Amino acid sequence: MMEIKNPENPKDYLSTRQSARQLQVSLGTVQKMVETGELLAWKTRGGHRRILCSSLEKLLKRRRMGIRERSSEQFLVLAVLKQPEQVDNFQRFSEAWRSAPEIFICTDTLEALMQAVSLSPDIIYIDPKLPPVEQVHLLHYLNKHVHTKNIPVLVEAEFIKKNPQVQKMPSNKGKDAKNEKNPNIPRKMINNPMIKAYKHQNLLLEDGSINQVYADKIEQIIFDCLAKKYEGA
């Protein structure tokens, strides 16, 4: 970890929790950023980390420019949630994953689309509680945009069952001269391999603890998506 001794002004620093809130990532992710030198920090006499504000601002600027610095083993998950109140629950849930990915959270579908284009995440997770109409529109634009159409998207299985059209996309195979000359001839439709179904469970159990079994299942789906995405890369 990069440490700074004798900070000039305490106002130039943020706590780990404040930094996590601004970056919309988990506390574990911030700690890892400090350890790898991506964020500059120092420790108080009590052993608490303080993040240099200018370092945090530079990271946010890189994100806005669509530039991310990650280790080869780390991946980015963009989670699209229904309500801001769910952010803490999802961050706690993701901390149960062994892979310790970087998490970026959106509670607005328009922002989610812009961040998907800007950040180019490895996986997009869509909360099943998001209104169906918003899910349909988001999936439509993700599939249509050149920078997002190859990103695996985790979608709740029951939603796909009720809205099978979101999984359909025109096939690039079998195009012939007739189709090229007459665009009115419908092209063959196939299932979009980038849309992955998952069966929804509560992130937390009744006693407030993390649903570890469910966390393991979601993480395994993510691993499967990443393996297929980078197969032959």
Short mmCIF file of all heavy atoms in Angstrom, two decimals, residues 141-174:
data_model
loop_
_atom_site.label_atom_id
_atom_site.label_comp_id
_atom_site.label_asym_id
_atom_site.label_seq_id
_atom_site.Cartn_x
_atom_site.Cartn_y
_atom_site.Cartn_z
N TYR A 141 -31.46 -1.82 -26.01
CA TYR A 141 -30.37 -0.91 -26.37
C TYR A 141 -29.00 -1.52 -26.12
O TYR A 141 -28.05 -1.24 -26.86
CB TYR A 141 -30.53 0.40 -25.60
CG TYR A 141 -31.66 1.26 -26.13
CD1 TYR A 141 -32.81 1.46 -25.38
CD2 TYR A 141 -31.58 1.83 -27.39
CE1 TYR A 141 -33.87 2.22 -25.88
CE2 TYR A 141 -32.62 2.60 -27.90
CZ TYR A 141 -33.76 2.79 -27.14
OH TYR A 141 -34.80 3.54 -27.64
N LEU A 142 -28.89 -2.37 -25.10
CA LEU A 142 -27.61 -3.06 -24.87
C LEU A 142 -27.29 -3.98 -26.05
O LEU A 142 -26.13 -4.06 -26.48
CB LEU A 142 -27.67 -3.88 -23.57
CG LEU A 142 -27.66 -3.10 -22.25
CD1 LEU A 142 -27.89 -4.05 -21.09
CD2 LEU A 142 -26.34 -2.36 -22.07
N ASN A 143 -28.30 -4.65 -26.57
CA ASN A 143 -28.11 -5.56 -27.69
C ASN A 143 -27.84 -4.81 -28.99
O ASN A 143 -27.16 -5.31 -29.88
CB ASN A 143 -29.34 -6.45 -27.85
CG ASN A 143 -29.20 -7.43 -28.99
OD1 ASN A 143 -28.23 -8.19 -29.05
ND2 ASN A 143 -30.15 -7.43 -29.91
N LYS A 144 -28.34 -3.58 -29.08
CA LYS A 144 -28.22 -2.80 -30.31
C LYS A 144 -26.91 -2.04 -30.41
O LYS A 144 -26.37 -1.85 -31.51
CB LYS A 144 -29.39 -1.81 -30.38
CG LYS A 144 -29.52 -1.05 -31.68
CD LYS A 144 -30.76 -0.17 -31.65
CE LYS A 144 -30.92 0.60 -32.96
NZ LYS A 144 -32.12 1.47 -32.93
N HIS A 145 -26.37 -1.60 -29.25
CA HIS A 145 -25.17 -0.75 -29.26
C HIS A 145 -23.92 -1.58 -29.54
O HIS A 145 -23.70 -2.64 -28.95
CB HIS A 145 -25.03 -0.04 -27.92
CG HIS A 145 -24.16 1.17 -27.99
ND1 HIS A 145 -22.79 1.10 -28.14
CD2 HIS A 145 -24.47 2.50 -27.94
CE1 HIS A 145 -22.29 2.32 -28.18
NE2 HIS A 145 -23.28 3.18 -28.05
N VAL A 146 -23.08 -1.10 -30.43
CA VAL A 146 -21.89 -1.84 -30.85
C VAL A 146 -20.93 -2.10 -29.70
O VAL A 146 -20.21 -3.11 -29.69
CB VAL A 146 -21.17 -1.07 -31.99
CG1 VAL A 146 -20.64 0.28 -31.48
CG2 VAL A 146 -20.04 -1.91 -32.58
N HIS A 147 -20.89 -1.21 -28.69
CA HIS A 147 -19.95 -1.36 -27.58
C HIS A 147 -20.48 -2.22 -26.44
O HIS A 147 -19.74 -2.53 -25.50
CB HIS A 147 -19.55 0.01 -27.03
CG HIS A 147 -18.78 0.85 -28.01
ND1 HIS A 147 -17.58 0.44 -28.55
CD2 HIS A 147 -19.05 2.06 -28.56
CE1 HIS A 147 -17.14 1.37 -29.38
NE2 HIS A 147 -18.01 2.36 -29.41
N THR A 148 -21.76 -2.60 -26.50
CA THR A 148 -22.32 -3.37 -25.39
C THR A 148 -22.95 -4.70 -25.81
O THR A 148 -23.27 -5.53 -24.95
CB THR A 148 -23.41 -2.55 -24.66
OG1 THR A 148 -24.45 -2.19 -25.60
CG2 THR A 148 -22.82 -1.28 -24.06
N LYS A 149 -23.12 -4.92 -27.09
CA LYS A 149 -23.86 -6.11 -27.53
C LYS A 149 -23.14 -7.42 -27.24
O LYS A 149 -23.77 -8.48 -27.25
CB LYS A 149 -24.16 -6.01 -29.03
CG LYS A 149 -22.94 -6.01 -29.94
CD LYS A 149 -23.37 -5.89 -31.40
CE LYS A 149 -22.18 -5.92 -32.34
NZ LYS A 149 -22.61 -5.81 -33.75
N ASN A 150 -21.85 -7.36 -26.95
CA ASN A 150 -21.09 -8.59 -26.64
C ASN A 150 -20.80 -8.74 -25.15
O ASN A 150 -19.96 -9.55 -24.76
CB ASN A 150 -19.78 -8.61 -27.43
CG ASN A 150 -20.01 -8.75 -28.92
OD1 ASN A 150 -20.87 -9.52 -29.35
ND2 ASN A 150 -19.25 -8.02 -29.71
N ILE A 151 -21.50 -7.97 -24.32
CA ILE A 151 -21.33 -8.07 -22.87
C ILE A 151 -22.39 -9.02 -22.32
O ILE A 151 -23.58 -8.80 -22.54
CB ILE A 151 -21.47 -6.70 -22.19
CG1 ILE A 151 -20.40 -5.73 -22.71
CG2 ILE A 151 -21.35 -6.85 -20.67
CD1 ILE A 151 -20.54 -4.31 -22.17
N PRO A 152 -22.00 -10.08 -21.59
CA PRO A 152 -23.00 -10.97 -20.99
C PRO A 152 -23.90 -10.23 -20.01
O PRO A 152 -23.41 -9.43 -19.20
CB PRO A 152 -22.15 -12.02 -20.27
CG PRO A 152 -20.83 -11.98 -20.97
CD PRO A 152 -20.63 -10.55 -21.36
N VAL A 153 -25.21 -10.48 -20.08
CA VAL A 153 -26.18 -9.81 -19.21
C VAL A 153 -26.95 -10.87 -18.43
O VAL A 153 -27.55 -11.77 -19.02
CB VAL A 153 -27.16 -8.95 -20.02
CG1 VAL A 153 -28.08 -8.18 -19.08
CG2 VAL A 153 -26.41 -7.98 -20.94
N LEU A 154 -26.93 -10.77 -17.10
CA LEU A 154 -27.65 -11.70 -16.25
C LEU A 154 -29.08 -11.19 -16.04
O LEU A 154 -29.28 -10.10 -15.51
CB LEU A 154 -26.96 -11.85 -14.89
CG LEU A 154 -25.85 -12.91 -14.79
CD1 LEU A 154 -24.76 -12.65 -15.82
CD2 LEU A 154 -25.26 -12.95 -13.39
N VAL A 155 -30.05 -11.99 -16.49
CA VAL A 155 -31.46 -11.61 -16.44
C VAL A 155 -32.25 -12.71 -15.74
O VAL A 155 -32.01 -13.90 -15.97
CB VAL A 155 -32.02 -11.38 -17.87
CG1 VAL A 155 -33.46 -10.89 -17.80
CG2 VAL A 155 -31.15 -10.39 -18.64
N GLU A 156 -33.19 -12.33 -14.91
CA GLU A 156 -33.96 -13.31 -14.14
C GLU A 156 -34.76 -14.22 -15.06
O GLU A 156 -35.39 -13.76 -16.02
CB GLU A 156 -34.89 -12.56 -13.19
CG GLU A 156 -35.24 -13.36 -11.94
CD GLU A 156 -36.44 -14.26 -12.16
OE1 GLU A 156 -37.33 -13.85 -12.92
OE2 GLU A 156 -36.47 -15.35 -11.57
N ALA A 157 -34.73 -15.52 -14.78
CA ALA A 157 -35.32 -16.53 -15.66
C ALA A 157 -36.82 -16.34 -15.86
O ALA A 157 -37.34 -16.50 -16.97
CB ALA A 157 -35.04 -17.93 -15.10
N GLU A 158 -37.54 -15.97 -14.82
CA GLU A 158 -39.00 -15.79 -14.93
C GLU A 158 -39.33 -14.61 -15.84
O GLU A 158 -40.32 -14.66 -16.58
CB GLU A 158 -39.59 -15.57 -13.54
CG GLU A 158 -41.11 -15.64 -13.50
CD GLU A 158 -41.65 -16.99 -13.90
OE1 GLU A 158 -40.94 -18.01 -13.71
OE2 GLU A 158 -42.80 -17.05 -14.40
N PHE A 159 -38.49 -13.57 -15.80
CA PHE A 159 -38.71 -12.41 -16.68
C PHE A 159 -38.53 -12.82 -18.14
O PHE A 159 -39.31 -12.43 -19.01
CB PHE A 159 -37.73 -11.29 -16.33
CG PHE A 159 -37.76 -10.15 -17.30
CD1 PHE A 159 -38.74 -9.17 -17.26
CD2 PHE A 159 -36.79 -10.06 -18.30
CE1 PHE A 159 -38.78 -8.14 -18.18
CE2 PHE A 159 -36.80 -9.02 -19.22
CZ PHE A 159 -37.81 -8.06 -19.16
N ILE A 160 -37.50 -13.62 -18.42
CA ILE A 160 -37.28 -14.09 -19.80
C ILE A 160 -38.44 -14.96 -20.27
O ILE A 160 -38.87 -14.88 -21.42
CB ILE A 160 -35.95 -14.88 -19.88
CG1 ILE A 160 -34.77 -13.95 -19.61
CG2 ILE A 160 -35.80 -15.53 -21.25
CD1 ILE A 160 -33.42 -14.65 -19.62
N LYS A 161 -38.96 -15.78 -19.35
CA LYS A 161 -40.09 -16.66 -19.69
C LYS A 161 -41.31 -15.84 -20.09
O LYS A 161 -42.03 -16.19 -21.03
CB LYS A 161 -40.41 -17.56 -18.50
CG LYS A 161 -41.50 -18.57 -18.77
CD LYS A 161 -41.72 -19.46 -17.56
CE LYS A 161 -42.84 -20.47 -17.82
NZ LYS A 161 -43.06 -21.35 -16.62
N LYS A 162 -41.54 -14.72 -19.38
CA LYS A 162 -42.69 -13.88 -19.66
C LYS A 162 -42.45 -12.93 -20.83
O LYS A 162 -43.39 -12.44 -21.45
CB LYS A 162 -43.06 -13.07 -18.42
CG LYS A 162 -43.57 -13.90 -17.27
CD LYS A 162 -43.90 -13.04 -16.06
CE LYS A 162 -44.43 -13.87 -14.90
NZ LYS A 162 -44.70 -13.02 -13.70
N ASN A 163 -41.17 -12.66 -21.12
CA ASN A 163 -40.81 -11.74 -22.21
C ASN A 163 -39.76 -12.38 -23.12
O ASN A 163 -38.61 -11.92 -23.19
CB ASN A 163 -40.28 -10.43 -21.64
CG ASN A 163 -41.25 -9.75 -20.70
OD1 ASN A 163 -42.12 -8.98 -21.12
ND2 ASN A 163 -41.11 -10.03 -19.40
N PRO A 164 -40.13 -13.47 -23.81
CA PRO A 164 -39.15 -14.21 -24.61
C PRO A 164 -38.52 -13.40 -25.73
O PRO A 164 -37.43 -13.74 -26.22
CB PRO A 164 -39.97 -15.38 -25.16
CG PRO A 164 -41.39 -14.89 -25.15
CD PRO A 164 -41.48 -14.03 -23.92
N GLN A 165 -39.18 -12.29 -26.12
CA GLN A 165 -38.65 -11.50 -27.23
C GLN A 165 -37.30 -10.85 -26.89
O GLN A 165 -36.51 -10.54 -27.79
CB GLN A 165 -39.65 -10.42 -27.64
CG GLN A 165 -39.77 -9.22 -26.70
CD GLN A 165 -40.67 -9.45 -25.52
OE1 GLN A 165 -41.08 -10.58 -25.25
NE2 GLN A 165 -41.00 -8.39 -24.81
N VAL A 166 -37.02 -10.65 -25.60
CA VAL A 166 -35.77 -9.99 -25.23
C VAL A 166 -34.55 -10.85 -25.53
O VAL A 166 -33.44 -10.36 -25.61
CB VAL A 166 -35.76 -9.59 -23.73
CG1 VAL A 166 -36.92 -8.67 -23.41
CG2 VAL A 166 -35.77 -10.82 -22.83
N GLN A 167 -34.79 -12.15 -25.69
CA GLN A 167 -33.67 -13.07 -25.93
C GLN A 167 -33.43 -13.31 -27.42
O GLN A 167 -32.47 -13.97 -27.79
CB GLN A 167 -33.94 -14.40 -25.22
CG GLN A 167 -32.68 -15.15 -24.83
CD GLN A 167 -33.00 -16.36 -23.96
OE1 GLN A 167 -34.11 -16.85 -23.93
NE2 GLN A 167 -32.00 -16.86 -23.25
N LYS A 168 -34.32 -12.78 -28.25
CA LYS A 168 -34.22 -13.02 -29.68
C LYS A 168 -33.37 -11.97 -30.38
O LYS A 168 -33.41 -10.79 -30.05
CB LYS A 168 -35.61 -13.05 -30.31
CG LYS A 168 -36.51 -14.15 -29.76
CD LYS A 168 -35.96 -15.53 -30.05
CE LYS A 168 -36.87 -16.62 -29.51
NZ LYS A 168 -36.33 -17.98 -29.77
N MET A 169 -32.60 -12.42 -31.36
CA MET A 169 -31.80 -11.51 -32.17
C MET A 169 -31.67 -12.12 -33.57
O MET A 169 -31.73 -13.33 -33.75
CB MET A 169 -30.40 -11.32 -31.56
CG MET A 169 -29.58 -12.59 -31.48
SD MET A 169 -27.95 -12.33 -30.71
CE MET A 169 -27.19 -11.29 -31.95
N PRO A 170 -31.53 -11.28 -34.62
CA PRO A 170 -31.40 -11.81 -35.98
C PRO A 170 -30.10 -12.56 -36.17
O PRO A 170 -29.05 -12.16 -35.66
CB PRO A 170 -31.46 -10.55 -36.86
CG PRO A 170 -31.02 -9.45 -35.95
CD PRO A 170 -31.52 -9.81 -34.59
N SER A 171 -30.18 -13.67 -36.87
CA SER A 171 -28.99 -14.47 -37.13
C SER A 171 -28.16 -13.85 -38.26
O SER A 171 -28.70 -13.32 -39.23
CB SER A 171 -29.40 -15.89 -37.52
OG SER A 171 -28.29 -16.63 -37.97
N ASN A 172 -26.85 -13.93 -38.12
CA ASN A 172 -25.96 -13.45 -39.18
C ASN A 172 -25.64 -14.56 -40.17
O ASN A 172 -24.97 -14.34 -41.16
CB ASN A 172 -24.65 -12.94 -38.58
CG ASN A 172 -24.86 -11.63 -37.84
OD1 ASN A 172 -25.65 -10.80 -38.27
ND2 ASN A 172 -24.17 -11.45 -36.73
N LYS A 173 -26.09 -15.76 -39.85
CA LYS A 173 -25.83 -16.90 -40.72
C LYS A 173 -26.98 -17.09 -41.69
O LYS A 173 -28.11 -16.74 -41.41
CB LYS A 173 -25.64 -18.17 -39.89
CG LYS A 173 -24.43 -18.12 -38.96
CD LYS A 173 -24.29 -19.41 -38.18
CE LYS A 173 -23.08 -19.36 -37.26
NZ LYS A 173 -22.93 -20.61 -36.49
N GLY A 174 -26.69 -17.68 -42.82
CA GLY A 174 -27.73 -18.02 -43.78
C GLY A 174 -28.23 -16.85 -44.61
O GLY A 174 -29.27 -16.96 -45.26
#
